Amino acid sequence: MPSLALAALRSAGRHRKPAACRQLHAHLLKTGVLSRSPFPSALLGSYANSGLLFDAHHLFDEFPYRDAVLYSSYLSALSHSDRPSQVLCHFRRMVSVDAVPPDGFIFATLVKTCSRLGSLRLGKQVHAQFLLSSFHEDDVVKSSLVDMYSKCGAVDDARKVFETIPVKNHVCWTAMLSGYASNGRRAEALELFSQMPQRDLIAWTALLSGFLQSGDSFSAVRLFVEMRRGEVEIDDAFVLSTVVGASSDLAALQLGRQLHGLVLTLGYESSMILGNALVDMYAKCSDINSARAVFEGLALRDVISWTTMVVGEAQHGRAEDAFNLYDQMVRAGVKPNEVTFTGLIYACSHAGLVQKGRYMFDSMEQEHGISPTLQHYTCLLDLLSRSGHLAEAENVIDSMPYVPDEATWGALLSACKKHGDTLMSIRVADKLLGLTPKDPSTYILLSNTYAAAGKWDCVSRVRRLMVDMEIKKQPGYSWIDLGKESRLFIAGEVPHSMRQEIIRLLNELTIEMKKRGYVPDTTSVMHNLEEDEKEQQLFLHSERLAVAFGLLKSVPGKTIRVVKNLRVCVDCHNVLKLISGITAREIVVRDANRFHHFEGGKCSCGDFW
DNA sequence: TTAGGGTTAG
């Protein structure tokens, strides 16, 4: 009978059945076997797995004796929880109060905790203790060390530990593989992958996800195609979620649609996580209506489902929809998290809803107990400064409990420029320059600010810094995907094969635009050029080339979707509005910051971006 | 009782 109870307990934990765990707890108490090993640790583990961390705490605290096995279960449950740092307090208690020395199980859990905390320093301390212990040959601990070093970015240290494992199993191979791939060490990842004795689905997923994490979404998609050609059976939703994430990143709508089809074919449409990934994919691929349709079809929605949709609506400029969703979410009893509020304040910021944004910022802490992070302050500052409340925005920086970073000062500086406050923009630019920024766009912003104020000595200082730090202005490029054909356009470079057609169309459109009052706005061109040269530069901005290509090549009447790596400039924004009116076509542009839906001469952002 | 792969912002 006890073995049946044990099997039931493990099953309840594995299948996350909290009610069953509690019933079994009562049963174990009644039959008097609760204190008999391995019931205490098994029950504790099942409680933790089923999300009943409070019951697990209670069981642990009330237990008459706490040995290494019980500690092991408990620390493991804490290491997987959302507060892994609690492991450390209980570890100290284990050693000092209960005088239990750590064994291999405990070491593995400690290393896992360091990995979750992202603390390399602590990880090295635990590693040193492990080497001094009598468990120093434990391969499971070594595997966890490989994973910890990989996740903390110390890939070479991971490799050193990896080499000391005499018989390598799937787990340590995958940990090492993931380390190389997620830290951008592509060649070594592929080399290791080719050496693996067996490549299971987890290894493929790790490699694919590693590429995605290191920003190489193209490789991730290529790898998925290669995987599909082989004999690996997709029997869980992990790899699909990852590759759907890659198509979001690439804004590859056609690919995303195909993957959605595959998800349905393979029967994973009920996976919430995959559903969340699809919602995000459609939103990021500019098809917000499909995102909404997938969201409405989700059988179960967690905070990530709601937040993904809220953020999607916000980035598409549909602030009212974002807030309606938020109200529904709260009514449905789902507790918002810090990301939800980033999305909501962002929605206000991009719709000029200053009062509402201030209110959301306050309610985050007062009504939901979420302390604002630096990012929330930056969002608030962005909202205030964009709307012209520059002094109040600067005041946010002075009063917030964080040191402002490049993004914070950058947001304020953009707003100063927009509102023509030269004195303040110089003051902010000086602060920003003192931070030695990393982002090329910050240098462009600084250079433009100083140039506009005629501070040429500062302009040359910024230029020198760019040369010294080998910072290059990122060329603007736009990408258009017409299904059968996709094309990349770089600013100033018209593809030879279509040169005449594209230039002719843009010229014709310019004539019509001028009839409708278009005057080129060259303020965003930074070089000291003559006015007509500046206009020529604008004329060849990549998004215009891509839209022209779309107008020439796509099915008439179909929405034209373009992705741009930088922000759309003021002049292109005016031009795209006009083109959408002249050609009666909907044009959707995803730029570095948000989405613009141009239709009938207007943009969904209300010129507020 | 311990170790590998998945979804939201930036």
Side-chain angles (χ1 to χ4, degrees), chain A residues 16 132 250 268 466 594:
Chain A
R16 300 176 181 190
L132 292 172
L250 295 167
Y268 287 105
M466 285 181 79
R594 59 167 297 149

Side-chain angles (χ1 to χ4, degrees), chain A residues 362-412:
Chain A
D362 292 338
S363 99
M364 172 169 59
E365 187 150 37
Q366 287 164 10
E367 290 174 36
H368 300 275
I370 300 169
S371 305
T373 62
L374 175 58
Q375 202 180 341
H376 291 111
Y377 280 103
T378 302
C379 250
L380 176 69
L381 173 141
D382 191 52
L383 160 79
L384 295 168
S385 59
R386 266 169 195 280
S387 318
H389 299 76
L390 292 173
E392 192 183 345
E394 200 173 18
N395 204 21
V396 168
I397 294 194
D398 294 334
S399 59
M400 70 185 186
Y402 295 97
V403 178
D405 66 2
E406 189 177 335
T408 322
W409 289 118
L412 187 55

Side-chain angles (χ1 to χ4, degrees), chain A residues 330-553:
Chain A
V330 173
R331 278 201 300 276
V334 178
K335 200 174 155 358
N337 68 14
E338 69 283 4
V339 184
T340 321
F341 284 98
T342 308
L344 292 169
I345 303 169
Y346 180 96
C348 295
S349 178
H350 286 258
L353 302 170
V354 181
Q355 266 311 101
K356 181 107 184 166
R358 282 199 194 103
Y359 170 76
M360 290 318 300
F361 186 88
D362 292 338
S363 99
M364 172 169 59
E365 187 150 37
Q366 287 164 10
E367 290 174 36
H368 300 275
I370 300 169
S371 305
T373 62
L374 175 58
Q375 202 180 341
H376 291 111
Y377 280 103
T378 302
C379 250
L380 176 69
L381 173 141
D382 191 52
L383 160 79
L384 295 168
S385 59
R386 266 169 195 280
S387 318
H389 299 76
L390 292 173
E392 192 183 345
E394 200 173 18
N395 204 21
V396 168
I397 294 194
D398 294 334
S399 59
M400 70 185 186
Y402 295 97
V403 178
D405 66 2
E406 189 177 335
T408 322
W409 289 118
L412 187 55
L413 182 54
S414 300
C416 291
K417 272 199 70 203
K418 185 180 171 194
H419 293 283
D421 190 329
T422 311
L423 277 179
M424 187 163 167
S425 66
I426 298 294
R427 192 164 69 240
V428 175
D430 289 345
K431 298 258 193 199
L432 194 50
L433 196 54
L435 285 181
T436 340
K438 292 174 191 68
D439 190 344
S441 65
T442 304
Y443 285 90
I444 306 300
L445 185 61
L446 280 172
S447 172
N448 278 340
T449 306
Y450 288 127
K455 297 193 66 156
W456 302 108
D457 52 330
C458 292
V459 173
S460 53
R461 202 172 131 210
V462 172
R463 292 273 151 181
R464 265 202 311 278
L465 255 176
M466 285 181 79
V467 174
D468 292 347
M469 297 181 65
E470 295 182 345
I471 291 167
K472 292 192 179 69
K473 185 185 174 191
Q474 209 182 353
Y477 61 81
S478 296
W479 169 269
I480 181 165
D481 183 359
L482 299 178
K484 285 184 205 146
E485 195 174 5
S486 53
R487 241 358 208 273
L488 181 78
F489 292 88
I490 299 167
E493 295 180 20
V494 193
H496 191 68
S497 59
M498 294 197 62
R499 189 176 177 88
Q500 281 190 336
E501 279 176 282
I502 288 179
I503 300 287
R504 192 189 311 130
L505 177 59
L506 286 176
N507 274 327
E508 284 169 11
L509 287 167
T510 307
I511 293 167
E512 184 56 36
M513 288 191 300
K514 287 193 170 163
K515 280 189 201 157
R516 298 184 184 206
Y518 166 65
V519 179
D521 183 334
T522 56
T523 49
S524 60
V525 182
M526 68 175 298
H527 302 294
N528 296 324
L529 301 172
E530 294 301 323
E531 201 58 22
D532 58 337
E533 289 175 306
K534 287 186 179 176
E535 283 180 28
Q536 187 55 28
Q537 273 211 355
L538 293 173
F539 187 78
L540 296 177
H541 269 181
S542 63
E543 55 271 54
R544 293 188 207 190
L545 302 176
V547 167
F549 177 82
L551 287 168
L552 289 165
K553 288 280 186 177

Side-chain angles (χ1 to χ4, degrees), chain A residues 28 71 104 167 251 260 286 307 319 324 361 426-427 441 546 582 584 591:
Chain A
L28 294 172
Y71 259 110
V167 181
H260 191 176
S286 84
T307 303
N324 287 337
F361 186 88
I426 298 294
R427 192 164 69 240
S441 65
I582 295 166
D591 76 1

Side-chain angles (χ1 to χ4, degrees), chain A residues 6 28 30-31 73 75 96 148 176 211 235 238 270 390 428 446 463 472 592:
Chain A
L6 188 63
L28 294 172
K30 235 189 278 175
T31 49
S73 283
L75 295 184
S96 55
M148 182 275 293
M176 192 65 243
F211 284 156
D235 54 11
F238 284 55
S270 58
L390 292 173
V428 175
L446 280 172
R463 292 273 151 181
K472 292 192 179 69

